[in-house]
Amino acid sequence: MSNENGLIYRISGPVVTAVGISPRMYEVVRVGDEGLMGEVIELHGDQSVIQVYEETSGISPGEPVIRTGQTLSVQLGPGLLTQIYDGIQRPLPKLEETMGVFITRGVDADGLDLEREWEFNATVKKGDEVSSGHVIGTVQETETIEHRVMVPPNVSGKVKSIKSGTFNIKETVCVLEDGSEIAMMQEWPVRHPRPFVQKYAPDVPLITGQRILDFLFPLAKGGTAGIPGPFGSGKTVTQQQLAKWSDAQIVVYIGCGERGNEMTEVLDEFPHLIDPNTNKPLMNRTVMIANTSNMPVAAREASVYTGITIAEYFRDMGYNVALMADSTSRWAEAMREISSRLEEMPGEEGYPAYLSSRLAEFYERAGRVQTLAGSDGSVSVIGAVSPPGGDISEPVSQGTLRIVKVFWGLDAGLARQRHFPAINWLNSYSLYPQALDQWYRDNIAPDFPEVRTEISTLLQIESELQEIVQLVGSDALPIDQQLTLEVARMIREFFLQQNAFHDVDTFSDLDLQYHMAKAILTFQEEAKKAIAGGGQLEDVVNVPARTDLMRGRFEKGYAERISDLVSEMSKQIDASMEAN
Amino acid sequence: MSGKEYRTITDVKGPLVFLNKTEPVSYGEIVQLMLSDGSIKNGQVLDTSDDQVIVQVFEGTASVDRQTGVKFLGDVFKLPVSKGLIGRILDGAGRPRDGGPDIVADDMADIIGAAINPYSRQSPESFIQTGISAIDACTSLVRGQKLPIFSASGLPHNDIALQIARQAKLVGSDDDFVVVFCAMGITAEEYNFFVHDLERTGALENSALFVNLADDPAVERLITPRLALTAAEYLAFEHDYHVLVIYTDMTNYCESLRQIGAAREEVPGRRGYPGYMYTDLAMLYERAGLVKGKKGSITQFPILTMPGDDITHPIPDLSGYITEGQIVISRELHQKGIYPPINVLPSLSRLMNAGIGDGKTREDHKSVSDQLYAAYAQGKELRGLVAIVGEDALNERDLQLLKFADIFEHQFLRQSRDEDRSISEGTLDLAWDLLSNIDTKYLVRLDQKWIDKYHPNEKSGKEEE
Ligand SMILES: Nc1ncnc2c1ncn2[C@@H]1O[C@H](COP(=O)(O)OP(=O)(O)O)[C@@H](O)[C@H]1O
Ligand SMILES: [Mg+2]
């Protein structure tokens, strides 16, 4: 049945129609004399419509189409970390070996190295009862990450034999009483979510080291966030910052239909960056998927599924995983392109009518779960969105915003002022603070939520005052309002702005963030007192210690110095009042 | 295997010809149409099946009828490549246009071009000095970058492109650039302007030109840039050249793309442009860069004119999503008589950070660039406020910034068409001079150590006079 052969009837770009076979939906087939990989996406009378993951020019009707009986799957096991794949899990270094620097076609490559041997340590013993998802042994996959080998889906029983030792990933390491043999590698069809016991409500923040994100619009571990913004507003830099500094244990980074050089940058940089949580290179915890804008669109469509499946696999080991997809709009466009070749009835702006359900299904694969093994794991998903002309009334932005719980709205105006990250603090939101506040109180400071509220209120007031300033100039405002403007300016320039390219400023831990926010509120309080006591706003604002406090954040050891800098500032403000 | 000739055309629609055929034709195959007057047109297969083949005809379908003979040439479009391309002028389909002989091919290269494996790329990081202060200081270009010029009709983008082509160099290296120039639907006058300038400076001998002018077939424009990039790749990756590709006007290219989409009755995306325009443009723009193990490089300067000066129009918008920044030309500055009228505020070079700083340009470059940018942005914004409340409402800081905006435009941006400023003495020192019009305490983006070292009034041991 599965090696039944058919013929190509029609070719239109990445879409090929075959006759003479009756495959299942989403079955992988081999197309043409070169055996290009494709996936069945529509059955239509005696015709099977196939999206092909490689360039189709030069292929003719009449060439063969062969069924494989498999659905599009990824190989899961030791060897995923530090790897970079294309959209259908072909390792790019492997492709370079076989094709050179340009990606030609017709080459297959396993997602995992089947020869490589790993040190397997059994963690169950003969006679133990195991079932799918249970960890039966571990492998030190990278310096920092222990790979937990799990019983594959639909397998369970009593362990008959299990051995520690050095094996490749296809060798049997464990046999169950019923004869099932378990190796370190398993496969999973990418379009199906991997199973778990239950979802929990997220209640721990994913700490990113980015002040505006962590402090004002936090994401929870297992949560979802969308970052829409026009080109040049900072989607990629923000995603890369999260990939670098967030306190997830595993990072899956998907470059979906974007620039080649951006992936090269990650490849160059990550092996040299030190993870603040483990003090080891960040690359150890990272899996990359790069299906750039000029690579085949069908493989781009598949890339997000490949990525999320790998993320779920590590979640099932009990890890907190963060997945970034840059950009989900390019994924949606790939769907649109394929759909239009299928001559489907288009929905809004030519996107297929199922766009929003696909988006929802994708983000639904995020979450904090109880795994089959009973442990706690999570997948957080952060999707960049690239709205045409920066206008988020379009279908992909709207479809995303209906689902995600955090909206980091990038703003062209802020980017133009080089206010980075250019996240608009007035229209962005997070629905998580309520769920996380207890965690902040317990782990950072009892008044953390109150400080946050004060900061965001000040920004709110500033925006109202700005409207008046636009009409009359700031000198016309009463002195207390002028002070509010100065405090808000301090929030923006000292706290919200954060230079991703500065060695020190690129990352602030939550403690430091809290102290910086408190420093601003201290300034406000001291300045109020000084002015009430006859001090001049100009003098108060310009005390040198405040400049030191603000510039100090670019220097190493700031966290240790900040409280001294704050007391010095208070002292000087006090003195400025007496001078009058 | 130049195959059989078919006379089975059923429909002709815009630039498309539909025919029934008897033997399998491959996707992307090239096609010749033999007209009754003996002339020949070229095309390419866009859709193929057992029952019907759709051919896109590059020269347009005028005079095609049901009797027209159609031959499938059994291969996809290829360009004969050799070092002999340098110094030649070819038409939009790759035929000699300069009266010279055919190119003697060392190889036949598929013009679609395969994607560079992202793992095989090398990060671009060598600063290219263009001698234009606005670019060198604020949107620095690096070798292997794709940096388009977003312009509009009536603005001097061609002068800027040519000035870059003339002046571009790597500081401290003699490596010269080879220019691959690609014209898509520009007027004969614009074309002559380019050619004369390249001739005048002797650069023509070091260039390969692919030319499709306004009165040449519109559909041919879809292959012209592919030919140019194929030539560029060959020169860069087979012969180690550093290639600068200038192509103009991307807007005409996109119009042709739209025309094909309409003829195929495709569901259009935004403003009638095909939904796959992003991918199509990426297949051009992404053919820039450096790859491991090869000495050559491809740097791209696409020029596009924004319809209605609108940067959110799909052509600049989709381009900006792919390219590594953009240089935006401003009508307002042009009207003030400032050349080059580059608006640095919406301009961006995404690869700048990798290409500047100590050992590359100068240690203070980043700080200076940030400060120039911030001061000009604020000064410019204050112009709006002054228009409402008058200068009296401004405090001292704001007054200085307001004045700086003018100084910046007239002394920093403005330079002549043959003025080649060096990055250190020409551009960055000038920037410090101009910034000294603002009190140091307002120059918050400048590190103190650079102020001590470079500020004309604070330099330790002031050596001026
Ligand atoms: N946090 C940041 N710190 C410093 N610069 C930034 C930051 N975010 C963005 N930028 C600047 O903005 C440019 C564009 O950012 P990028 O993330 O590539 O935008 P997008 O992906 O939205 O097109 C970057 O090249 C960088 O110069
Ligand atoms: Mg981006």
Side-chain angles (χ1 to χ4, degrees), chain A residues 229-237 239-240 253 258-259 262 326-327 330 384 386, chain B residues 320-321 350:
Chain A
F231 63 83
S233 58
K235 296 180 293 298
T236 302
V237 173
Q239 295 263 36
Q240 291 187 355
Y253 191 94
E258 294 279 313
R259 301 178 183 88
E262 288 173 348
D326 184 14
S327 159
R330 306 303 167 213
S386 316
Chain B
Y321 270 120
R350 294 166 186 266

Side-chain angles (χ1 to χ4, degrees), chain A residues 65-83:
Chain A
V65 176
I66 301 172
R67 290 185 60 181
T68 66
Q70 307 280 315
T71 48
L72 186 67
S73 301
V74 285
Q75 298 182 337
L76 300 167
L80 289 165
L81 295 171
T82 75
Q83 191 51 271

Side-chain angles (χ1 to χ4, degrees), chain A residues 9-11 13 58-61 92 96 101 103 232 257 259-261 264 268 293 300 330 386-389 416 418 471, chain B residues 24-27 47-51 114-115 117-118 120-121 123 278-279 282 286 317 320-324 350 373 389:
Chain A
Y9 164 74
R10 176 183 175 193
I11 303 145
I59 296 172
S60 307
L92 291 175
E96 184 188 77
V101 297
I103 300 181
R259 301 178 183 88
N261 276 331
T264 314
D268 284 351
S293 54
R300 189 201 296 172
R330 306 303 167 213
S386 316
R416 218 172 297 128
R418 303 271 151 121
L471 297 175
Chain B
V25 166
S26 40
Y27 179 72
D47 197 317
T48 173
S49 72
D50 286 346
D51 305 325
N117 185 333
S120 309
R121 282 181 183 268
S123 291
Y278 173 83
T279 304
E286 279 287 323
D317 190 52
Y321 270 120
I322 306 163
T323 55
E324 283 144 352
R350 294 166 186 266
Y373 191 99
V389 299

Side-chain angles (χ1 to χ4, degrees), chain A residues 109-403:
Chain A
D110 282 305
L112 295 175
D113 186 339
L114 305 181
E115 310 296 321
R116 177 163 174 192
E117 298 195 323
W118 300 87
E119 191 65 37
F120 173 78
N121 295 304
T123 52
V124 293
K125 53 187 191 311
K126 183 172 172 0
D128 284 353
E129 201 67 53
V130 295
S131 62
S132 68
H134 283 187
V135 177
I136 57 166
T138 62
V139 170
Q140 195 65 38
E141 185 177 352
T142 63
E143 247 184 313
T144 52
I145 302 295
E146 173 190 87
H147 195 107
R148 296 170 190 151
V149 177
M150 294 173 285
V151 177
N154 307 320
V155 176
S156 64
K158 220 179 218 152
V159 175
K160 184 171 161 209
S161 68
I162 185 162
K163 44 192 177 181
S164 294
T166 307
F167 305 97
N168 72 36
I169 56 175
K170 290 197 84 167
E171 282 175 86
T172 301
V173 291
C174 174
V175 183
L176 303 187
E177 301 257 300
D178 68 356
S180 321
E181 300 187 346
I182 302 173
M184 283 186 263
M185 181 179 91
Q186 52 174 278
E187 298 194 18
W188 188 263
V190 297
R191 295 186 195 278
H192 291 276
R194 286 175 61 88
F196 49 83
V197 177
Q198 59 171 319
K199 270 195 186 181
Y200 299 123
D203 59 7
V204 175
L206 182 80
I207 298 163
T208 68
Q210 311 306 299
R211 295 186 289 265
I212 184 164
L213 306 187
D214 290 346
F215 207 80
L216 294 185
F217 310 112
L219 175 59
K221 289 198 170 85
T224 51
I227 320 180
F231 63 83
S233 58
K235 296 180 293 298
T236 302
V237 173
T238 306
Q239 295 263 36
Q240 291 187 355
Q241 286 296 91
L242 296 178
K244 287 175 190 168
W245 308 126
S246 66
D247 67 344
Q249 291 155 300
I250 303 286
V251 167
V252 178
Y253 191 94
I254 311 174
C256 175
E258 294 279 313
R259 301 178 183 88
N261 276 331
E262 288 173 348
M263 299 312 295
T264 314
E265 204 177 287
V266 175
L267 281 171
D268 284 351
E269 220 181 336
F270 276 39
H272 307 289
L273 288 174
I274 299 300
D275 180 347
N277 301 304
T278 62
N279 283 319
K280 293 283 176 336
L282 278 170
M283 206 61 192
N284 283 316
R285 65 167 192 183
T286 309
V287 183
M288 269 184 288
I289 297 176
N291 209 96
T292 57
S293 54
N294 55 340
M295 288 162 74
V297 287
R300 189 201 296 172
E301 192 274 334
S303 66
V304 299
Y305 295 104
T306 297
I308 194 113
T309 306
I310 292 172
E312 286 173 341
Y313 175 67
F314 281 102
R315 171 204 69 190
D316 292 343
M317 295 179 205
Y319 286 121
N320 291 310
V321 184
L323 175 140
M324 294 95 207
D326 184 14
S327 159
T328 60
S329 293
R330 306 303 167 213
W331 166 47
E333 285 165 9
M335 282 190 247
R336 174 168 71 182
E337 186 169 339
I338 304 285
S339 157
S340 105
R341 301 266 185 184
L342 297 180
E343 286 156 25
E344 289 175 340
M345 196 52 182
E348 236 182 311
E349 295 193 17
Y351 285 103
Y354 46 79
L355 171 71
S356 59
S357 61
R358 292 278 163 90
L359 285 168
E361 284 161 18
F362 169 64
Y363 283 103
E364 216 22 56
R365 291 175 74 169
R368 201 183 129 213
V369 305
Q370 181 188 358
T371 66
L372 295 182
S375 54
D376 193 337
S378 69
V379 175
S380 313
V381 173
I382 302 114
V385 185
S386 316
D391 176 0
I392 61 163
S393 64
E394 55 88 41
V396 184
S397 302
Q398 289 304 310
T400 304
L401 292 182
R402 272 198 296 275
I403 311 158

Side-chain angles (χ1 to χ4, degrees), chain B residues 130-199:
Chain B
T130 67
I132 297 173
S133 290
I135 298 176
D136 289 351
C138 301
T139 53
S140 318
L141 170 69
V142 298
R143 200 152 70 179
Q145 185 168 13
K146 41 191 180 287
L147 190 61
I149 299 180
F150 283 11
S151 189
S153 46
L155 299 178
H157 40 268
N158 293 339
D159 299 67
I160 296 172
L162 278 166
Q163 189 169 0
I164 294 169
R166 274 196 311 272
Q167 298 180 173
K169 59 174 147 307
L170 277 192
V171 186
S173 149
D174 312 325
D175 291 354
D176 251 347
F177 286 100
V178 168
V179 175
V180 170
F181 175 79
C182 168
M184 293 168 285
I186 62 173
T187 62
E189 192 186 329
E190 279 178 289
Y191 167 65
N192 289 333
F193 177 77
F194 270 102
V195 171
H196 285 153
D197 196 86
L198 292 171
E199 235 165 12

Side-chain angles (χ1 to χ4, degrees), chain B residues 4 34 148 219 221 236 296 352 405 430:
Chain B
K4 261 194 283 185
M34 264 70 59
V219 179
R221 274 162 219 163
M352 175 166 176
L430 173 64

